[in-house]
Amino acid sequence: MLWAGGMRLGTARILLMLVHAAAACEFGPMPYSVTGIVFRMTKPAALLLNQETARLIQAAFKNAKFPNITGERSMRFLGTVAYTLANIQVSDLSIEQSEVELKENDAIDIAIKNVTAFFRGTLTYGYAGAWFLQLFHSVDFEIQSSIDLQINIKLLCQEEQVAADASDCYLSFHKLMLHLQGDKEPGWLKQLFTDFISFTLKFVLKRELCKEINLLAQVMANFVHNVAENFVQDEAIGLDISLASDPLIKANYLESHHKPFPLPTLLADNYSDVLSNSVFSPSLLSESRMLYFWISEHILNSLASAAFLDGRLVLAIRGEKLQALFEFEDTEAQQKAVHLIFQGNSYNDSVAKVWSLALPEISLQPEGTVVKSLVAVEISIFPPGEEPLTALYMEEEITVTIQAAYVEKKLILRPVDSQIEFKVFNCTADPSGNDQSVRNFLQKMISAVGIPEVISKIEPALTSLMNSKGLHLFEIKNPEIITRKRYLIVQLDFSFPNHLLLDFLEKTL
């Protein structure tokens, strides 16, 4: 359920699967390899996200605030010529090509070629000299430009979060052509102002556009961090996704390592096990899929403990569901158990309560996720007009191995093995507990239908929780959840949901 978090990570677009930032990080003696969650985005994912570059660049041009450009120059025979370009706006922007390259241990290089844009506004000019009175004229202008952009994005750690620095930004102008309204002005005047303002305009455009691109990269990084933080938190339960080391840029992937600590921190009372058991190595992940999430066993244990302490590991079963459990088979042992426990009362007047008595223990193995828990089961009967009574109380240690999958936007949990050991068994109708057949039936019932029933409640609850964080909005392709000794790996491909970017741009900019 955690792996999506991370989704739940072009210019700032390359940051979409990472997290945000802002003051230099100082890491303690803990080596970078000791971590709770590792996120890796490979170059195919970066190339896919780069296809959205055009929208971000368009947003940068649209939101850039261009100041009025003023200047003057002394001209022979004309005296002093002064000019102002005002109300500059951008229109008709198009982008021919965008390329991305991961430069190892350096930056994400984004080359945007042949950006065509028209800048429109008002030109006010005037001149004063020995032959002229001071005169000023206004005319609408249009500047046709063709630009190449080179943006080098550094990934930094600031305040223990990933920060994007896109200040290394360059513009190259292939064309900068001034058109005055209707081209009615004399040719020498157009040439004069083209020469006058060309250098100044290039400087202003570079400054404002690069500033807007850098701001957009930071806003996107903040946005992604907030989404990731929200994804791994549900009310009081969550994870600290602070960085455990500086983010990495390799030739074929980006990678971030996050701390193995839960929230609230009171759960993190013994990290010696974390340091010895949760060691990550880059060789554990490949580069054949777009996204990888490496999750330590400790993370799952912490979340299970938090759920227990928050009182969430409780389930009530009644009515038809309870009937289906006790009548999953029609045998003499089943009939005897039903008679002893319910004493002829209706299932509709009965409730089975199931809850954990102690912190669950989770271990990750190649066979699956092994969950060990001390569980209590209490069946209470509420006869009409009579006092309620406890018909059955038992405690058992249950160990179940579960294999997980994500299919058609739903989390699937499949129990593949289970062991049940009774610790306490009290049946009101059989206080001596001598009837072993009832206990045998209950053990069989718990294994065959009881555990699947509990899991069938967990599956939609976790799916609903992940969907509430927006996971269902992503087009996830062929996800795999692979368990290994003390860690699991989630690997997947994806296609980017365009409407999410549009929603972000509309809400943020």
Side-chain angles (χ1 to χ4, degrees):
M1 62 180 174
L2 296 171
W3 57 274
M7 289 254 10
R8 167 160 222 19
L9 202 216
T11 42
R13 181 83 57 284
I14 303 301
L15 305 168
L16 266 174
M17 297 298 167
L18 295 173
V19 281
H20 133 268
C25 305
E26 294 183 4
F27 298 108
M30 184 172 58
Y32 91 91
S33 59
V34 179
T35 183
I37 299 176
V38 175
F39 167 78
R40 175 179 290 185
M41 181 171 70
T42 61
K43 191 168 183 178
L47 294 173
L48 174 66
L49 295 175
N50 185 58
Q51 295 174 7
E52 302 299 319
T53 297
R55 285 194 176 95
L56 284 180
I57 295 303
Q58 288 171 344
F61 273 76
K62 177 182 177 182
N63 288 277
K65 305 300 181 183
F66 298 103
N68 293 345
I69 300 174
T70 62
E72 62 178 31
R73 187 171 179 179
S74 296
M75 297 293 295
R76 183 180 298 180
F77 305 119
L78 291 176
T80 300
V81 178
Y83 63 88
T84 298
L85 298 177
N87 304 319
I88 302 175
Q89 297 179 344
V90 184
S91 63
D92 301 331
L93 184 139
S94 64
I95 296 175
E96 181 177 298
Q97 187 178 2
S98 177
E99 299 175 351
V100 63
E101 179 182 358
L102 305 181
K103 297 183 69 174
E104 187 154 351
N105 301 322
D106 185 13
I108 305 166
D109 282 8
I110 301 173
I112 303 165
K113 299 181 179 179
N114 292 332
V115 180
T116 301
F118 287 85
F119 298 88
R120 294 183 172 92
T122 302
L123 168 63
T124 301
Y125 65 93
Y127 30 82
W131 297 352
F132 299 93
L133 296 174
Q134 190 172 13
L135 298 173
F136 286 92
H137 305 274
S138 292
V139 62
D140 291 338
F141 73 86
E142 178 182 86
I143 299 173
Q144 183 181 4
S145 66
S146 178
I147 308 170
D148 286 349
L149 282 80
Q150 178 67 41
I151 307 164
N152 304 314
I153 301 177
K154 305 282 188 181
L155 296 183
L156 311 172
C157 179
Q158 294 181 351
E159 296 185 353
E160 298 188 332
Q161 299 165 359
V162 176
D165 179 5
S167 59
D168 189 7
C169 169
Y170 302 92
L171 272 68
S172 300
F173 290 84
H174 299 297
K175 178 191 293 185
L176 194 67
M177 184 178 298
L178 176 67
H179 300 281
L180 300 180
Q181 186 180 41
D183 277 335
K184 295 178 181 179
E185 299 296 330
W188 65 266
L189 182 63
K190 183 168 69 172
Q191 183 62 46
L192 172 67
F193 284 117
T194 299
D195 294 340
F196 273 12
I197 68 178
S198 177
F199 175 80
T200 303
L201 183 61
K202 289 178 181 179
F203 175 78
V204 171
L205 292 181
K206 176 190 181 305
R207 182 186 65 197
E208 298 303 322
L209 288 174
C210 286
K211 181 173 68 175
E212 188 63 32
I213 288 171
N214 191 36
L215 176 62
L216 186 59
Q218 295 173 16
V219 170
M220 288 288 287
N222 292 345
F223 171 77
V224 173
H225 170 73
N226 293 335
V227 170
E229 192 172 55
N230 178 64
F231 191 88
V232 295
Q233 187 164 1
D234 180 49
E235 297 179 359
I237 300 175
L239 293 174
D240 179 3
I241 58 172
S242 299
L243 287 174
S245 62
D246 289 316
L248 303 176
I249 298 178
K250 297 298 182 181
N252 294 316
Y253 62 85
L254 310 173
E255 192 168 276
S256 59
H257 300 237
H258 304 268
K259 290 182 178 180
F261 305 148
L263 297 172
T265 54
L266 61 89
L267 296 173
D269 57 355
N270 186 356
Y271 291 132
S272 60
D273 291 340
V274 181
L275 300 181
S276 61
N277 294 346
S278 300
V279 178
F280 170 79
S281 169
S283 62
L284 298 177
L285 301 179
S286 67
E287 301 171 13
S288 60
R289 306 297 299 275
M290 287 185 174
L291 298 181
Y292 293 86
F293 296 86
W294 180 94
I295 302 171
S296 73
E297 179 181 281
H298 171 75
I299 290 292
L300 298 185
N301 264 308
S302 297
L303 291 175
S305 298
F308 169 80
L309 294 175
D310 200 42
R312 301 193 187 192
L313 304 185
V314 179
L315 175 65
I317 306 173
R318 52 172 57 86
E320 293 181 357
K321 291 288 187 180
L322 187 60
Q323 181 178 2
L325 292 180
F326 277 88
E327 296 185 2
F328 82 102
E329 67 175 17
D330 185 13
T331 63
E332 183 178 344
Q334 177 264 340
Q335 295 173 7
K336 182 184 293 186
V338 169
H339 175 73
L340 283 175
I341 295 171
F342 294 97
Q343 295 291 303
N345 290 284
S346 168
Y347 292 111
N348 291 327
D349 298 326
S350 307
V351 177
K353 180 183 176 183
V354 184
W355 72 98
S356 290
L357 293 170
L359 296 177
E361 298 176 15
I362 295 179
S363 63
L364 295 171
Q365 302 293 334
E367 298 77 21
T369 302
V370 181
V371 182
K372 183 178 181 180
S373 182
L374 181 62
V375 176
V377 178
E378 182 180 79
I379 296 180
S380 301
I381 300 176
F382 301 85
E386 300 181 26
E387 290 294 319
L389 60 93
T390 300
L392 177 70
Y393 177 83
M394 54 185 178
E395 297 176 5
E396 58 267 348
E397 186 175 82
I398 298 178
T399 303
V400 57
T401 302
I402 300 171
Q403 293 180 349
Y406 189 74
V407 180
E408 295 181 351
K409 300 184 182 294
K410 295 179 181 179
L411 181 66
I412 306 298
L413 303 175
R414 184 169 65 91
V416 294
D417 185 43
S418 62
Q419 294 87 41
I420 302 169
E421 180 182 353
F422 285 101
K423 300 294 185 179
V424 176
F425 188 88
N426 293 323
C427 180
T428 302
D430 182 25
S432 64
N434 293 328
D435 196 333
Q436 188 65 33
S437 64
V438 174
R439 188 177 302 197
N440 291 341
F441 166 77
L442 291 173
Q443 185 172 21
K444 183 178 180 182
M445 182 265 285
I446 292 171
S447 179
V449 292
I451 293 174
E453 173 64 19
V454 172
I455 289 178
S456 73
K457 301 295 185 183
I458 297 174
E459 285 176 331
L462 292 180
T463 298
S464 176
L465 176 61
M466 292 189 294
N467 287 344
S468 72
K469 308 296 184 178
L471 181 63
H472 64 294
L473 299 176
F474 289 84
E475 295 301 322
I476 297 173
K477 300 179 180 180
N478 303 318
E480 296 178 87
I481 304 175
I482 303 168
T483 55
R484 296 287 184 259
K485 188 174 179 62
R486 294 177 177 169
Y487 67 89
L488 68 81
I489 295 172
V490 178
Q491 54 190 37
L492 60 112
D493 297 323
F494 71 98
S495 58
F496 189 78
N498 293 332
H499 63 280
L500 289 186
L501 176 62
L502 296 177
D503 289 345
F504 163 76
L505 294 175
E506 290 176 359
K507 294 176 182 178
T508 308
L509 302 176

